[in-house]
Amino acid sequence: MNSQAAVSVKRIADSTVRRLSAYLRFLEDFEGRGLMTISSEELAKRGGTTSAQVRKDLSFFGSFGKRGLGYSVPELAGRLREILGLGREWKIVIVGAGKIGAALAQYRGFRQRGFSILAAYDNNPEKIGRKLEDIPVRDIDQLERDIEREKPDIAVLTVPAEEAQSVVNRVVSVGVKAILNFAPTQLHAPADVTVKTVNMAMELEGLSFALTNRE
Amino acid sequence: MNSQAAVSVKRIADSTVRRLSAYLRFLEDFEGRGLMTISSEELAKRGGTTSAQVRKDLSFFGSFGKRGLGYSVPELAGRLREILGLGREWKIVIVGAGKIGAALAQYRGFRQRGFSILAAYDNNPEKIGRKLEDIPVRDIDQLERDIEREKPDIAVLTVPAEEAQSVVNRVVSVGVKAILNFAPTQLHAPADVTVKTVNMAMELEGLSFALTNRE
DNA sequence: TTTAACTTGTGAATGAATTCACAAGCCGCT
DNA sequence: AGCGGCTTGTGAATTCATTCACAAGTTAAA
């Protein structure tokens, strides 16, 4: 009767979610070009995967296609938005107003996809009270108080590695359940808190390894 | 007889390489604190994995530990540096001198780990000729010429999504074999070119999914 | 209607990564 | 020299992810 994203019966692999996110981007591109329908094969080619993979990924959540025809572009896009939880606005705080924090604060992609940045936090008195684009930089001492009042969904960490764990502890203590970490360090958090880490050093070392160990 | 990083007989999984990179970071931390020896169990606890995983990861490259004792911290760190190809200097060019490109150009972590940034490239006349910290911003028209002369190992892409594929084609055409991509788009490159993509939108959507589908 | 050309959705088969579990080796103590 | 406590290295077992392969459904055209 209602069109809730299907219940996630079994745990969905991270790799699957990343691909869904990629499919949605392609669909939006196709949508923009007025295409009404698309096959798993075309979606696969665009995303560097296989059509079976595309169909399997979608099958975890329901069956959205028409045999012989493919998928309705707008419908599938809508379903993916539902599945990924993009139907609503997510509130973000950025902790750390250094170079990377500032670059993120100005990144257009966030707003476009329904992520709205409430504020950035720093401990540098020079920065506190100023604005990044139109995002206020606040004193990190207010962090817990503000989080309890404004209830952001996601904390983005762009503090030095040494401070990252302590910031995790602080935001977790006031109820934040999702963290995007840019500090090059392993973080520990309770099981009900999702942490994703973007680690440039690690990516570069992956490239270094690939360049070194080629046959 | 000689201590080359062991030949990579079978293909090593990406996840393994990422963990090796993490282990190295922990070892450097332990090294700094004067610890001489460490067990797979301690390494695992620090990295949020299991001791069997740590031992298996290392076993692909040789056997570096002493039964009953563990691993020599400095020796294992050295071996990991070898394996990851960090014994030498890697030369990088950044393509795109926007906010993110600029933040990366100033990121200390690169130099610390032996990655040296030769130059950044942009098509904006306002930026060309200036410097980011001490890194020159050059005209993107010179890209191929400069690459052929200076032979960078890695190209870091911080251009808009629409331009990313064309930059890939250009750098690949003059011999670049490793690309770190920050544009939120799927890139296609020949099999002998390694491409790693850091996609913030995708990470955020992963968090959105996790927040939405919790039981 | 029937047929031909497509394409989905999904069990079953395969392949890949992780975990188990234990023999083998090392150290220090007696 | 022998014993007890530890810890590695690794085949075997298990779990997880991807690919195969095909029945079933859809469309369009004759």
Side-chain angles (χ1 to χ4, degrees):
Chain A
M1 202 98 274
N2 85 22
S3 69
Q4 280 282 88
V7 236
S8 58
V9 188
K10 42 177 339 206
R11 210 191 135 279
I12 301 297
D14 217 70
S15 49
T16 299
V17 178
R18 301 178 69 84
R19 282 191 301 266
L20 293 177
S21 176
Y23 302 155
L24 175 55
R25 222 167 318 282
F26 306 149
L27 287 167
E28 287 172 341
D29 184 25
F30 287 126
E31 213 168 12
R33 295 199 262 128
L35 222 45
M36 286 314 285
T37 189
I38 190 169
S39 69
S40 56
E41 184 58 43
E42 295 167 278
L43 221 30
K45 198 172 301 162
R46 194 78 155 57
T49 178
T50 67
S51 64
Q53 179 78 81
V54 171
R55 296 198 301 277
K56 183 65 90 181
D57 286 341
L58 296 176
S59 77
F60 295 133
F61 301 94
S63 63
F64 311 128
K66 271 211 173 50
R67 290 166 193 233
L69 237 205
Y71 302 87
S72 148
V73 171
E75 192 207 320
L76 186 54
R79 295 306 192 100
L80 287 177
R81 282 192 204 95
E82 266 183 71
I83 291 166
L84 293 171
L86 301 176
R88 47 163 292 189
E89 183 183 67
W90 295 103
K91 291 181 285 186
I92 296 184
V93 292
I94 295 178
V95 186
K99 286 277 153 31
I100 298 178
L104 290 178
Q106 293 168 35
Y107 181 52
R108 290 283 179 278
F110 286 166
R111 247 149 299 196
Q112 271 172 20
R113 292 204 153 267
F115 295 90
S116 112
I117 303 175
L118 300 180
Y121 291 85
D122 208 290
N123 61 5
N124 180 343
E126 298 258 311
K127 291 177 181 163
I128 296 166
R130 298 172 138 246
K131 294 205 162 199
L132 295 173
E133 205 89 335
D134 57 342
I135 293 159
V137 180
R138 301 179 182 158
D139 190 332
I140 195 158
D141 285 350
Q142 309 173 221
L143 187 60
E144 285 90 342
R145 213 177 327 151
D146 287 359
I147 289 178
E148 290 189 308
R149 195 178 61 247
E150 304 180 330
K151 301 242 174 294
D153 305 286
I154 299 172
V156 175
L157 265 57
T158 56
V159 297
E162 310 79 62
E163 289 159 41
Q165 183 62 57
S166 109
V167 174
V168 168
N169 300 345
R170 292 177 63 180
V171 301
V172 165
S173 79
V174 284
V176 170
K177 297 282 187 234
I179 294 171
L180 180 55
N181 170 45
F182 285 84
T185 186
Q186 175 78 30
L187 296 177
H188 299 271
D192 67 329
V193 176
T194 308
V195 178
K196 303 237 173 216
T197 292
V198 172
N199 189 330
M200 250 120 54
M202 207 174 262
E203 304 298 339
L204 280 173
E205 287 171 16
L207 290 175
S208 166
F209 176 85
L211 287 169
T212 305
N213 306 61
R214 49 173 75 265
E215 40 274 72
Chain B
M1 203 95 278
N2 85 22
S3 70
Q4 281 282 93
V7 236
S8 58
V9 186
K10 42 173 344 202
R11 210 190 134 279
I12 300 297
D14 217 70
S15 49
T16 298
V17 179
R18 301 178 69 84
R19 283 192 300 268
L20 293 177
S21 176
Y23 302 156
L24 175 55
R25 222 166 320 280
F26 306 149
L27 287 167
E28 286 172 343
D29 183 26
F30 287 125
E31 212 168 12
R33 296 200 260 126
L35 221 46
M36 287 314 286
T37 189
I38 191 171
S39 69
S40 57
E41 184 58 44
E42 294 168 279
L43 222 31
K45 198 170 302 161
R46 193 78 156 58
T49 178
T50 67
S51 63
Q53 179 78 81
V54 171
R55 295 198 300 276
K56 183 66 87 181
D57 286 341
L58 296 175
S59 77
F60 295 132
F61 302 94
S63 64
F64 311 128
K66 272 212 172 48
R67 293 169 190 228
L69 239 204
Y71 301 88
S72 149
V73 170
E75 191 205 321
L76 186 55
R79 294 305 192 101
L80 287 177
R81 282 193 205 95
E82 265 184 71
I83 291 165
L84 292 171
L86 301 176
R88 48 163 291 189
E89 182 181 69
W90 295 104
K91 290 182 284 186
I92 297 183
V93 291
I94 295 177
V95 186
K99 286 276 153 31
I100 298 180
L104 290 178
Q106 293 168 34
Y107 181 54
R108 290 281 179 280
F110 286 167
R111 246 149 298 195
Q112 271 171 22
R113 292 204 152 268
F115 295 90
S116 111
I117 303 174
L118 300 179
Y121 291 84
D122 209 289
N123 61 4
N124 180 343
E126 298 258 309
K127 290 178 180 164
I128 295 166
R130 299 173 137 246
K131 294 207 161 196
L132 296 173
E133 206 91 334
D134 58 342
I135 294 160
V137 180
R138 301 177 183 159
D139 190 332
I140 195 159
D141 286 350
Q142 308 174 223
L143 187 61
E144 286 90 341
R145 212 176 328 149
D146 287 359
I147 289 178
E148 289 188 309
R149 195 178 63 246
E150 304 180 330
K151 301 241 173 294
D153 305 286
I154 300 171
V156 175
L157 265 58
T158 57
V159 296
E162 310 79 62
E163 289 161 41
Q165 183 63 56
S166 109
V167 173
V168 168
N169 300 345
R170 291 176 64 181
V171 302
V172 165
S173 78
V174 284
V176 170
K177 296 283 187 234
I179 294 170
L180 179 54
N181 170 44
F182 285 85
T185 186
Q186 175 80 28
L187 297 176
H188 298 271
D192 68 328
V193 176
T194 308
V195 178
K196 303 237 174 217
T197 291
V198 172
N199 189 328
M200 250 120 52
M202 207 172 262
E203 304 297 340
L204 279 174
E205 287 171 16
L207 290 175
S208 166
F209 176 84
L211 287 169
T212 304
N213 306 61
R214 49 173 73 265
E215 40 275 71

